[in-house]
Amino acid sequence: MGADKGKKAKLDGEANEQQIDGDLVQSIEKLQEIQDELEKVNEEASDKVLEVEQKYNEIRRPVYDKRHEIIKTIPDFWLTAFISHPLLCDLLSEEDQKIFKYLESLDVEDNKDLKSGYSIVLNFSENPYFEDKKLTKTYTFSEEGTATVSATTIKWKEGMNVANGNAHEKKKGNKRELVEESFFTWFSETKQGKIDLGDEQVAEIIKEDLWPNPLKYFNNEIDENEFVEEGEEDEEGSEGEDGEEGEDEEEE
């Protein structure tokens, strides 16, 4: 008799567990349905935001054109804006700065489908460094998450290729001194697949920070704390990742 009661209690317990498991699965399935609905709304919202951004890009264009006409009357405008920018100044070598004196305009052109990419366009006057008047670097993003970076192949004049260090390469005895990193080294880098983080960061700074308001940097009206705080956050994030890696290694 006692054995029968024990068996019945066990069966009742198993039935309760099955009921709880069934209820849990049902709740998770309903929650997933809600999440899917939210994702759909978020996608619609993103599409609407892009539509608005595209509309205002078209409105901004003639204003940018008027700005360009005024900038042309200011000597060394883009050179000054670049070297006054806390994150871009180190990208220009001494030789780059000489070349930037011939930079007449900088433009950022978004693709019609904003998600698919953009181009950074540099227009130069006649100069002793290269034959090109227009240099373009283009970032194209696919829905699969890959990207293609293409750039104008610069037609350097003989001995003037600063991307290879030729124009400011010096010999000391039989040794060559190290040459500075050049803006044109970054510009000439192309890729397909996963973009190098440093490459994309430079492009994003030009597109999202320098291009919208270069006058702020030309006038040196910079909130340095903003860049210090961003730098500290990046360092803390990097240290956190390094710490986690270290802990993983110790556990191994």
Side-chain angles (χ1 to χ4, degrees):
M1 194 73 180
D4 290 341
K5 285 183 180 179
K7 187 175 181 181
K8 184 174 183 301
K10 184 178 179 183
L11 290 172
D12 289 343
E14 288 175 354
N16 286 336
E17 283 179 12
Q18 288 174 358
Q19 180 64 38
I20 291 170
D21 288 344
D23 291 344
L24 180 61
V25 169
Q26 195 172 24
S27 294
I28 290 172
E29 287 175 349
K30 286 180 179 177
L31 184 58
Q32 184 61 56
E33 288 175 8
I34 298 295
Q35 285 302 133
D36 292 341
E37 188 177 345
L38 282 171
E39 284 299 318
K40 187 178 178 183
V41 173
N42 289 339
E43 285 175 12
E44 289 176 3
S46 296
D47 290 340
K48 291 295 181 185
V49 169
L50 288 172
E51 284 177 19
V52 172
E53 185 64 25
Q54 178 61 43
K55 174 186 173 183
Y56 279 94
N57 272 354
E58 292 170 4
I59 294 172
R60 290 186 194 106
R61 180 46 58 185
V63 182
Y64 280 136
D65 291 342
K66 284 195 289 187
R67 186 181 77 175
H68 165 63
E69 292 303 315
I70 296 171
I71 286 176
K72 284 198 302 186
T73 67
I74 304 172
D76 300 334
F77 178 87
W78 287 109
L79 168 61
T80 304
F82 257 86
I83 61 179
S84 298
H85 194 290
L87 301 179
L88 294 175
C89 58
D90 291 338
L91 198 61
L92 292 190
S93 67
E94 287 185 17
E95 208 66 30
D96 290 341
Q97 292 178 36
K98 295 176 186 176
I99 298 174
F100 264 52
K101 284 183 170 291
Y102 298 94
L103 179 59
E104 293 185 331
S105 69
L106 182 149
D107 199 0
V108 173
E109 299 174 352
D110 285 300
N111 292 356
K112 192 159 187 181
D113 176 5
L114 297 182
K115 293 185 291 186
S116 68
Y118 60 90
S119 297
I120 295 171
V121 183
L122 307 169
N123 292 294
F124 289 85
S125 60
E126 183 73 32
N127 65 80
Y129 293 91
F130 43 73
E131 303 290 347
D132 311 86
K133 295 289 183 68
K134 181 178 180 179
L135 302 179
T136 305
K137 183 159 187 171
T138 300
Y139 291 79
T140 306
F141 307 108
S142 71
E143 292 183 357
E144 291 75 30
T146 59
T148 301
V149 183
S150 58
T152 303
T153 301
I154 303 175
K155 300 182 184 74
W156 294 98
K157 294 180 180 179
E158 188 176 354
M160 304 307 287
N161 187 348
V162 298
N164 290 336
N166 292 351
H168 52 142
E169 195 175 74
K170 296 179 181 178
K171 287 187 178 180
K172 192 173 183 181
N174 292 325
K175 294 181 181 178
R176 284 179 176 173
E177 294 181 351
L178 291 175
V179 295
E180 301 169 273
E181 185 72 13
S182 169
F183 170 86
F184 294 96
T185 304
W186 166 79
F187 178 87
S188 300
E189 288 172 349
T190 59
K191 244 174 198 181
Q192 191 156 1
K194 188 177 179 183
I195 301 178
D196 178 71
L197 183 60
D199 182 293
E200 190 177 10
Q201 279 179 336
V202 171
E204 285 292 317
I205 291 168
I206 294 172
K207 178 179 184 287
E208 303 293 346
D209 190 35
L210 179 69
W211 165 247
N213 188 5
L215 185 60
K216 175 172 72 172
Y217 297 102
F218 180 83
N219 287 335
N220 212 19
E221 299 169 351
I222 306 163
D223 181 3
E224 293 186 358
N225 291 329
E226 176 187 342
F227 293 99
V228 169
E229 286 170 7
E230 286 179 2
E232 287 175 350
E233 286 174 6
D234 291 342
E235 285 177 10
E236 286 173 7
S238 175
E239 286 173 3
E241 289 173 5
D242 292 343
E244 288 173 7
E245 288 176 3
E247 288 174 8
D248 292 342
E249 287 176 3
E250 286 177 8
E251 287 175 4
E252 289 174 4

